[in-house]
Amino acid sequence: MGREKESKDEDKIKLKSSKMKLKKLSGHEHAGAGGDSSRGRCMGSKRIKPEEEMDGDFISKKKSQKRKRIKEEQTECPTDTSSKESGKLEEDDTSQKKRKRKAEKTVKKEEADPVPVTKKTKRTKEEIQEAKLLKIKKKEEEEQNRWRWWEEEKYEDGVKWKFLEHKGPYFPPEYQPIPENVHFYYDGKAVKLSLAAEEVALFFAQMLDHEYTTKDQFRENFFKDWRKEMTSEERSIITDLNKCDFGEMHAMHKAKVEARKNMTKEDKQTMKDANQKIVDEFGYCLLDHHKERIGNFKIEPPGLFRGRGDHPKQGMLKKRIQPEDVIINCSLNGSIPVPPVGHHWKEVRHDNTVTWLASWTENIQGSIKYIMLNANSKLKGEKDWEKYEIARKLKTSVDHIRYQYNLDLKSKQMSTRQRAVALYFIDKLALRAGNEKEEGESADTVGCCSLRVEHITLHERLEGDECVVEFDFLGKDSIRYYNKVPVIKKVFKNLKLFMENKEPGDDLFDRLSTQLLNKHLSSLMAGLTAKVFRTYNASITLQQQLKELTNEGDNVAAMILSYNRANRAVAILCNHQRAPPKTFEQSMANLQAKIDGRKEQLALAKSEFKQAKKEAKSKGNSDPKLQTLVERKKAAVKRCEDQLLRMELQATDKEENKQIALGTSKLNYLDPRISVAWCKKYEVPLEKIYNKSQRDKFAWAIDMTEEDFEF
DNA sequence: AGGTGAACTTAGAACAGTCAGG
DNA sequence: CCTGACTGTTCTAAGTTCACCT
């Protein structure tokens, strides 16, 4: 797989193997843990439904419900019986009171704790305090406005909402022609471009600093699409991209970026306010009585397509979307979004079995793009919760499933054997399912089912292990997966068999597809698909690692390091990589320098401490001044030691994180209740683990989880 | 029973905002 | 107070899954 990503990837791999220690515990070891315990106590006190019943809710319910558009008789209210409603209200009331009380406490504490300072600073301190108070108040308000949907009854099958109202998508501004004094040159001569051609030329000019514009495929695709936008006259002149000079356009763009950076504070504020206004108007919708944030309310602006990896379509023109391309989805009985003046929507529909508010078809792949809600919304949150419940269900049946595919490894049916081996990989290595892809439509990447013979190498014996499979392929986003894994004999033998008489480019699992695999899985457990294994293995790994790595008496900083390490084990399992930050080496060196500095300081403090002690001793213990000096020096040493320790922890953490991305697993694979419970148990402030938007996203988990939660 | 498209989740990069340290 | 590093947010590409169609 000769890809231009290669050099970067190689780098990434080096790290990967060095960090493999962490990985030991992937795969099967975590199977047996626990098993018995988690029933019924994990939903927290407020949730009344026992888990058993809930599981049923989650899994079986949605099975194949026909999609139906809502009819005339839309109600504005969510389905709820009045009795339940009143009960809920009552509870809401008490819990709200509780929250209020908590807030009052914090406020009081702040007030009772004035800092004695000089007059001048005092005022600002007061101001700061006031700001803090305001913040707390705002937080409280937010908390009270939060829709506690997880305490509500779920809708009947397939229905995603009963009422949906929004303003439609926000369209990017029209193209602004470049000023007269900025020229485009072809073959040394200035050429005035038509508006359409100029716009596309500017897309390219703006990207000139990017590596993309040096790639042949990108240039070729761009040029082809650019020519389509040209007038026939332009087309006859401009025939070679290499003769195009976008220098002035590029310079203009850079100047603009620079100017934006150097704007005055006021101008920046004005801009911010204007943006906020757009968010306020378009960024929210009304869904079943609740205001919900929209995730992506802006129509994607036109530009040049930036595919990942070796994408055959990179550089193609991504066209401007008009209202005439956009389908609106909303309630029939609410207000319907108004299209921009002089325009109309492609269609307005009222389908409450889907969650999107607007959609359009994109011109590169012909796929549909959607406008949907933010991750902190009910619609997304509920689904997320459901996902983790299915994964927890897998925990209880995983032993049986593993037993089953172990048997299947010896099946007489080739397709069954292939399925078993694939499942073994998916379970042990957390590989993705791997759908078939159409050739030429996207980069050549694979997952488990689409692995080819060329992607694995078998070693009877390697580095002291037997039956080692060496994987080397590009996965999602063209991220390289490289791993050497000892496997059981049966799997190894099967792989040999599958590879017999095949070319490197042939499918390893020629009798298997993701559909087949998932069909089998869903027969083993309701709701089970290939990706559930990733969720399950990620979450169970976190839980296990936390158990293993957490030291009871540690301070918060050490706790965080332990958490990050556990998180990192998961990220490695899921192969979540990132390009090392450009400034990594530098900032690592900086940190090291600081550590060295601190070490010197510590040495100094220590000798001063000794000196003071000696002096105190020699003069007898009578002098109180000397005594306090000794104490002070002692404290200084202690302080220095603490700081040094903290910095060293930080450095370790940083180094280990160089090219591993923790965010993806944290956001998508780790049951938040594990983290919440851990924080509670070890008294780690949750804000150290989840930032604001993550806390919003996981509000359901934060609210319902007690410290004894077991995944 | 296999292909296809709609709908939705997962992903890393780019960008913007903030904050700590000189 | 300013600046660069870090953190959080936005963006949109690239996956998975499932129902529908033939």
Side-chain angles (χ1 to χ4, degrees):
Chain A
M1 52 205 62
R3 306 280 129 81
E4 57 284 330
K5 267 215 137 169
E6 215 160 55
S7 61
K8 202 160 88 186
D9 287 334
E10 245 157 41
D11 242 334
K12 287 182 181 176
I13 294 325
K14 263 181 238 148
L15 166 114
K16 209 179 166 204
S17 45
S18 75
K19 291 298 183 294
M20 269 316 161
K21 309 161 238 164
L22 268 175
K23 202 171 162 181
K24 280 269 161 60
L25 34 60
S26 70
H28 296 185
E29 286 90 341
H30 26 42
D36 58 319
S37 47
S38 53
R39 285 275 123 183
R41 66 162 132 96
C42 37
M43 308 293 355
S45 53
K46 278 169 212 142
R47 175 101 198 170
I48 312 118
K49 264 190 182 179
E51 196 196 356
E52 192 110 25
E53 188 187 329
M54 224 190 52
D55 279 354
D57 262 357
F58 266 128
I59 317 300
S60 49
K61 217 173 167 184
K62 67 170 283 196
K63 282 278 101 179
S64 78
Q65 186 70 189
K66 293 248 161 63
R67 299 229 165 107
K68 49 176 192 266
R69 307 273 160 91
I70 31 167
K71 311 249 164 59
E72 306 290 285
E73 78 286 351
Q74 246 173 4
T75 48
E76 267 200 43
C77 320
T79 43
D80 42 25
T81 59
S82 53
S83 66
K84 188 224 147 210
E85 178 71 1
S86 63
K88 195 202 92 210
L89 277 178
E90 233 166 73
E91 193 199 65
D92 251 16
D93 201 28
T94 54
S95 55
Q96 256 174 32
K97 264 184 214 154
K98 229 190 280 168
R99 284 197 294 283
K100 213 176 205 166
R101 229 177 299 135
K102 227 196 254 166
E104 270 164 16
K105 241 196 236 162
T106 13
V107 171
K108 256 185 209 145
K109 202 172 150 199
E110 300 253 343
E111 282 168 350
D113 199 34
V115 197
V117 270
T118 60
K119 256 187 193 167
K120 221 177 184 180
T121 47
K122 197 173 179 181
R123 192 164 296 142
T124 59
K125 286 259 160 141
E126 267 167 11
E127 271 169 25
I128 290 167
Q129 226 182 58
E130 205 166 298
K132 260 190 198 160
L133 277 176
L134 213 75
K135 237 185 193 168
I136 290 167
K137 232 188 212 163
K138 215 173 134 194
K139 206 168 141 193
E140 272 310 299
E141 223 170 295
E142 216 169 272
E143 190 58 34
Q144 296 201 11
N145 285 336
R146 171 167 286 140
W147 180 8
R148 303 167 66 81
W149 49 261
W150 51 92
E151 289 169 355
E152 292 177 17
E153 204 76 27
K154 289 202 198 63
Y155 286 164
E156 67 262 39
D157 260 359
V159 174
K160 303 293 169 64
W161 46 265
K162 309 256 166 167
F163 182 78
L164 174 61
E165 196 175 74
H166 57 92
K167 285 290 181 69
Y170 174 78
F171 286 87
E174 286 300 306
Y175 175 63
Q176 300 293 322
I178 59 174
E180 289 295 329
N181 61 341
V182 177
H183 301 99
F184 161 76
Y185 299 93
Y186 185 76
D187 210 6
K189 288 187 286 282
V191 176
K192 174 77 188 147
L193 295 170
S194 64
L195 211 62
E198 181 189 288
E199 182 179 10
V200 178
L202 192 57
F203 292 150
F204 191 82
Q206 284 171 344
M207 282 181 78
L208 236 37
D209 284 334
H210 203 286
E211 199 198 340
Y212 270 123
T213 56
T214 65
K215 297 187 185 176
D216 288 345
Q217 181 85 93
F218 189 94
R219 295 172 69 86
E220 192 184 306
N221 288 335
F222 158 71
F223 196 57
K224 200 169 146 206
D225 276 7
W226 185 29
R227 280 174 57 83
K228 286 183 203 157
E229 300 300 308
M230 293 176 187
T231 62
S232 55
E233 195 192 344
E234 286 164 341
R235 212 163 15 239
S236 69
I237 302 169
I238 302 165
T239 56
D240 181 0
L241 181 56
N242 293 314
K243 291 182 179 165
C244 294
D245 176 1
F246 302 96
E248 286 188 14
M249 297 169 93
H250 181 234
M252 177 197 80
H253 172 250
K254 284 190 85 168
K256 251 187 196 163
V257 171
E258 191 59 25
R260 192 154 5 121
K261 222 170 62 192
N262 295 331
M263 271 189 320
T264 64
K265 251 189 191 143
E266 296 80 65
D267 285 348
K268 273 185 188 163
Q269 191 55 46
T270 321
M271 285 268 278
K272 212 175 150 187
D273 292 345
N275 263 327
Q276 190 54 50
K277 231 181 110 187
I278 294 170
V279 174
D280 290 344
E281 180 169 2
F282 293 95
Y284 297 86
C285 71
L286 204 57
L287 188 140
D288 297 340
H289 296 302
H290 297 272
K291 195 172 164 183
E292 294 259 58
R293 181 95 204 256
I294 300 170
N296 57 327
F297 60 89
K298 289 176 177 165
I299 295 275
E300 293 175 16
L304 303 182
F305 177 71
R306 299 154 91 114
R308 313 271 173 93
D310 201 358
H311 202 297
K313 297 194 169 185
Q314 60 183 290
M316 283 174 65
L317 174 62
K318 204 170 101 163
K319 294 221 168 110
R320 185 179 288 274
I321 302 301
Q322 300 294 344
E324 285 71 15
D325 304 318
V326 174
I327 302 173
I328 296 291
N329 191 35
C330 63
S331 278
L332 188 58
N333 57 346
S335 78
I336 286 166
V338 183
V341 277
H343 288 281
H344 59 267
W345 304 119
K346 180 179 183 182
E347 185 192 333
V348 176
R349 65 173 72 157
H350 311 285
D351 182 354
N352 73 344
T353 67
V354 296
T355 66
W356 52 270
L357 318 190
S359 73
W360 71 91
T361 303
E362 149 266 359
N363 69 297
I364 304 283
Q365 326 261 9
S367 64
I368 306 173
K369 299 265 184 159
Y370 300 93
I371 286 187
M372 288 180 184
L373 294 188
N374 188 274
N376 65 13
S377 62
K378 171 196 173 181
L379 248 27
K380 295 287 183 190
E382 208 165 53
K383 202 76 189 299
D384 212 33
W385 182 17
E386 181 185 332
K387 173 182 76 185
Y388 290 115
E389 284 310 309
I390 296 174
R392 292 177 79 203
K393 220 178 121 186
L394 174 56
K395 181 185 175 181
T396 63
S397 50
V398 75
D399 287 342
H400 167 246
I401 289 168
R402 283 170 179 163
Y403 176 75
Q404 184 62 51
Y405 71 63
N406 254 296
L407 291 183
D408 286 347
L409 287 171
K410 289 183 286 191
S411 166
K412 277 172 267 162
Q413 275 280 319
M414 187 57 136
S415 58
T416 306
R417 280 201 196 195
Q418 293 195 353
R419 194 182 67 198
V421 173
L423 205 40
Y424 177 87
F425 285 163
I426 284 172
D427 185 19
K428 188 179 171 74
L429 305 173
L431 299 189
R432 295 188 186 82
N435 285 295
E436 290 300 323
K437 295 170 76 182
E438 218 174 314
E439 218 172 316
E441 289 296 299
S442 59
D444 176 23
T445 63
V446 297
C448 186
C449 294
S450 49
L451 279 170
R452 297 191 298 262
V453 171
E454 61 193 324
H455 295 132
I456 63 169
T457 314
L458 302 183
H459 303 276
E460 300 280 352
R461 187 165 274 288
L462 185 76
E463 293 158 12
D465 289 314
E466 279 180 29
C467 299
V468 175
V469 185
E470 183 181 354
F471 292 83
D472 191 351
F473 61 90
L474 295 185
K476 182 178 180 181
D477 292 315
S478 291
I479 296 292
R480 188 180 179 201
Y481 183 91
Y482 182 81
N483 203 358
K484 294 178 211 160
V485 201
V487 300
I488 57 177
K489 274 219 169 70
K490 270 184 285 180
V491 167
F492 198 77
K493 271 191 195 159
N494 272 316
L495 286 171
K496 267 202 241 170
L497 182 70
F498 302 159
M499 290 165 81
E500 260 170 35
N501 302 320
K502 278 188 192 166
E503 300 290 316
D506 290 344
D507 283 341
L508 179 64
F509 303 117
D510 51 310
R511 309 283 174 88
L512 187 65
S513 69
T514 51
Q515 292 99 315
L516 237 45
L517 178 68
N518 280 335
K519 216 173 127 195
H520 171 66
L521 287 176
S522 70
S523 78
L524 295 176
M525 184 194 109
L528 187 62
T529 62
K531 87 187 190 77
V532 178
F533 281 88
R534 245 167 108 80
T535 311
Y536 160 71
N537 276 314
S539 286
I540 203 81
T541 301
L542 178 76
Q543 181 165 289
Q544 246 183 2
Q545 284 283 288
L546 282 177
K547 252 182 210 156
E548 218 162 284
L549 297 172
T550 312
N551 303 311
E552 195 80 39
D554 274 357
N555 60 22
V556 174
M559 285 285 177
I560 305 281
L561 180 69
S562 299
Y563 183 88
N564 283 344
R565 284 202 162 139
N567 192 166
R568 194 148 48 233
V570 176
I572 289 170
L573 174 69
C574 294
N575 200 37
H576 290 141
Q577 299 187 34
R578 60 167 184 174
K582 282 181 214 87
T583 56
F584 185 85
E585 292 308 327
Q586 184 56 53
S587 74
M588 203 65 209
N590 287 349
L591 191 58
Q592 194 53 51
K594 261 201 293 187
I595 289 175
D596 292 344
R598 188 67 70 184
K599 269 184 187 158
E600 269 170 44
Q601 221 176 345
L602 178 63
L604 186 69
K606 267 185 179 161
S607 74
E608 276 181 4
F609 172 51
K610 248 184 219 158
Q611 184 67 34
K613 223 165 41 177
K614 214 166 51 195
E615 221 168 291
K617 220 175 193 175
S618 68
K619 294 203 176 163
N621 287 349
S622 50
D623 192 344
K625 250 189 192 159
L626 277 177
Q627 275 310 314
T628 52
L629 185 72
V630 170
E631 284 309 309
R632 210 179 300 155
K633 292 292 177 196
K634 193 174 169 186
V637 170
K638 175 92 173 70
R639 203 166 51 233
C640 247
E641 273 173 342
D642 284 353
Q643 278 171 342
L644 186 64
L645 210 65
R646 200 161 49 229
M647 276 157 71
E648 274 171 342
L649 281 184
Q650 206 187 338
T652 319
D653 203 36
K654 199 171 170 149
E655 181 64 45
E656 288 177 1
N657 246 0
K658 184 174 176 183
Q659 40 207 183
I660 296 176
L662 299 184
T664 304
S665 49
K666 204 188 229 182
L667 233 49
N668 300 303
Y669 288 104
L670 302 176
D671 189 330
R673 290 168 296 185
I674 299 171
S675 302
V676 173
W678 181 83
C679 280
K680 282 200 170 152
K681 185 164 176 198
Y682 296 104
E683 296 179 339
V684 175
L686 196 65
E687 305 84 73
K688 302 274 182 192
I689 301 297
Y690 290 135
N691 66 33
K692 178 75 170 66
S693 49
Q694 290 165 338
R695 292 198 299 276
D696 279 349
K697 169 173 175 166
F698 297 134
W700 58 272
I702 295 169
D703 185 61
M704 69 172 67
T705 306
E706 306 293 340
E707 76 164 61
D708 60 353
F709 172 83
E710 273 271 338
F711 175 77

